[in-house]
Amino acid sequence: MAVDSAFSSPLGPPACEKDAKALRFIEEMTRNADPVQERVLSDILTQNSQTEYLRRFKLNGATDRDSFKSKLPVITYEDLQPEIQRIANGDRSAILSAHPISEFLTSSGTSAGERKLMPTIKEELDRRQLLYSLLMPVMNLYVPGLDKGKGLYFLFVKSETRTPGGLLARPVLTSYYKSEHFKTRPYDPYNVYTSPNEAILCPDSFQSMYTQMLCGLQDRHQVLRVGAVFASGLLRAIRFLQLNWRQLSQDIETGTLNQKVTDPSLRECMGKILKPDPELARFVRHECSKENWEGIITRIWPNTKYLDVIVTGAMAQYIPTLDYYSGGLPKACTMYASSECYFGLNLNPMCKPSEVSYTIMPNMAYFEFLPHDPNSAGFTRDSPPKLVDLVDVEIGKEYELVITTYAGLCRYRVGDILRVTGFHNSAPQFHFVRRKNVLLSIDSDKTDEAELQKAVENASRLLREFNTSVVEYTSYADTKTIPGHYVIYWELLVKDAANSPTDDVLKQCCLAMEESMNSVYRQGRVADNSIGPLEIRVVKNGTFEELMDYAISRGASINQYKVPRCVNFTPIMELLDSRVVSTHFSPALPHWTPERRR
């Protein structure tokens, strides 16, 4: 479609008039980032002026930045927990938001072993939809012809629960996929998926994955992009194909659906899609039966132009494996979002993963930034931090993100550490550095040092009857296996060699550690199959002393040396693995149910 010159954009020539409008909106928002932020804060404070929370801090209807910053404290989830619990228990008064809380979005960050509950309002779906609508217009600047085919995306809903007061609690993407915004989205040639809604919305992860893969194989020549939310999810799909290609090719050959797919709406939907195709079945068998799966994505889907997956933060550990399976296809990280709020988008989505920067869209929420100093002791109520506004951050510096949202979070610390890489107009661009305090992550799980310590303590109780204790430990997230799994290195002090703990006991130690992990980890193990069994590797006595010697040889101070609780530096891993005397895996699944504790 020809585009009128009036629709041109500094980002590049738009693919169509609809794209031109989206690109013009991005320019307008980023050029006026500070006035937009001022308006957003004023709107939020006006809308919520009569809430219990704002009245508590005697804002008295003020909507200016100075009053807001001088009167409202910077908070964490724990500070808000009493209010959130009241809402969860059924209190419908205007506690945090003047608009009714429509549901809770469950954050993958955890609080006391449970997913955090993030309050949201119906209007937030419109804001999230707006950000989604900007992604393809940007992508079309870099990859032409995406309207000529389909996207093979592995998208899933996760389990949802109700709070004691009856509100739904579910992950943000499950909320979006189940919304009318997604289910009745208008046709857009740039956004056609191979997976029907019925497959995405099927709650059974096997049936959902099976039918999504089947549809992807049937449309293999039309697939122009392959994706999942996280890199780990795409690799899980490849592993699924490795395990199930025989049955999938049988279904393709006969045009009949595997009896393991029992969901009635899914069977009905697939009945209309599935047609016998012996030639395609032969092709799938030929490719998948080969021992070498290098480049399997481009072998099966030869027209794929890029992978659409998040490979920033903890997901960067999957890049080499993705490169292996895709033959080095570009990896596009298109947007930056969380349960609390959607933040912004990547205006250069085809850049290298190490160079990904997200441009914060100033209309999404009110943003402040807490300068991040890893060596500082933090701050107290008596010495509050000096927060920086969106347009005043400095290139090269790191900050923790603090947000104020329409749904009632005020000056809330998200826990993400970001580094400023530049500006688009007056809106800053950030590289996601890491989640604060997170040691281990395979998928959406996040395990911090305190949780790991507690898990080791609980497991080591099983060693007492053998007069054995854990002298030292460290860990890493092994992503070479699919799914990835936690590896814990233990150095043991065995006081009675004739009565040392057996393999069975150490396996039970693995399971005890898993039982001690938070609910997000256990859901990944039990329901999502996104995390493999935890492994304990017992190392020779003296190994951690050697680790210290190595660190000191590289310049660490002997007085300040602390055993790292998580390692990912190759020489250290090699040192540890060369000292392993035995390995043990969790023999069973930990306990997990979707019900929330009350």
Side-chain angles (χ1 to χ4, degrees), residues 253-357:
E253 183 170 52
T254 60
T256 57
L257 186 60
N258 188 335
Q259 290 304 310
K260 286 183 183 172
V261 179
T262 56
D263 185 291
S265 64
L266 196 44
R267 287 200 73 84
E268 184 185 344
C269 162
M270 292 302 295
K272 296 169 188 166
I273 295 171
L274 204 51
K275 300 286 182 284
D277 190 339
E279 191 181 334
L280 175 58
R282 270 195 302 277
F283 170 80
V284 172
R285 287 188 183 108
H286 179 258
E287 287 301 326
C288 294
S289 60
K290 291 178 182 173
E291 202 167 308
N292 182 2
W293 272 52
E294 189 170 358
I296 193 71
I297 292 174
T298 44
R299 278 157 43 192
I300 290 185
W301 296 284
N303 300 316
T304 308
K305 297 172 185 259
Y306 65 94
L307 304 179
D308 191 345
V309 284
I310 293 171
V311 286
T312 50
M315 290 295 128
Q317 59 196 348
Y318 293 104
I319 291 171
T321 317
L322 282 175
D323 282 341
Y324 175 81
Y325 286 124
S326 73
L329 278 175
K331 286 159 283 295
C333 297
T334 55
M335 68 183 284
Y336 171 37
S338 78
S339 309
E340 295 91 337
C341 176
Y342 279 24
F343 305 117
L345 63 165
N346 182 1
L347 296 180
N348 182 16
M350 299 301 274
C351 66
K352 292 178 185 166
S354 58
E355 294 167 6
V356 168
S357 287

Side-chain angles (χ1 to χ4, degrees), residues 164-179:
L167 282 175
L168 270 176
R170 55 191 180 180
V172 63
L173 287 173
T174 298
S175 168
Y176 175 63
Y177 298 148
K178 289 192 167 188
S179 73

Side-chain angles (χ1 to χ4, degrees), residues 15 18 62 81 100 105 107 116 132 241 259 268 325 353 380 390 460 467 475 478 529 559 589 593:
K18 188 179 170 193
Q81 248 181 323
L105 302 176
S107 164
K116 293 176 181 173
Y132 283 126
L241 181 60
Q259 290 304 310
E268 184 185 344
Y325 286 124
T380 64
L390 181 68
S460 61
N467 212 0
S475 65
D478 184 353
N529 301 314
N559 297 320
L589 292 170
T593 57

Side-chain angles (χ1 to χ4, degrees), residues 454-473:
K454 184 186 78 168
V456 170
E457 285 170 3
N458 288 346
S460 61
R461 288 188 189 127
L462 301 176
L463 304 176
R464 285 177 187 166
E465 63 177 286
F466 300 92
N467 212 0
T468 295
S469 57
V470 178
V471 177
E472 270 305 354
Y473 69 92

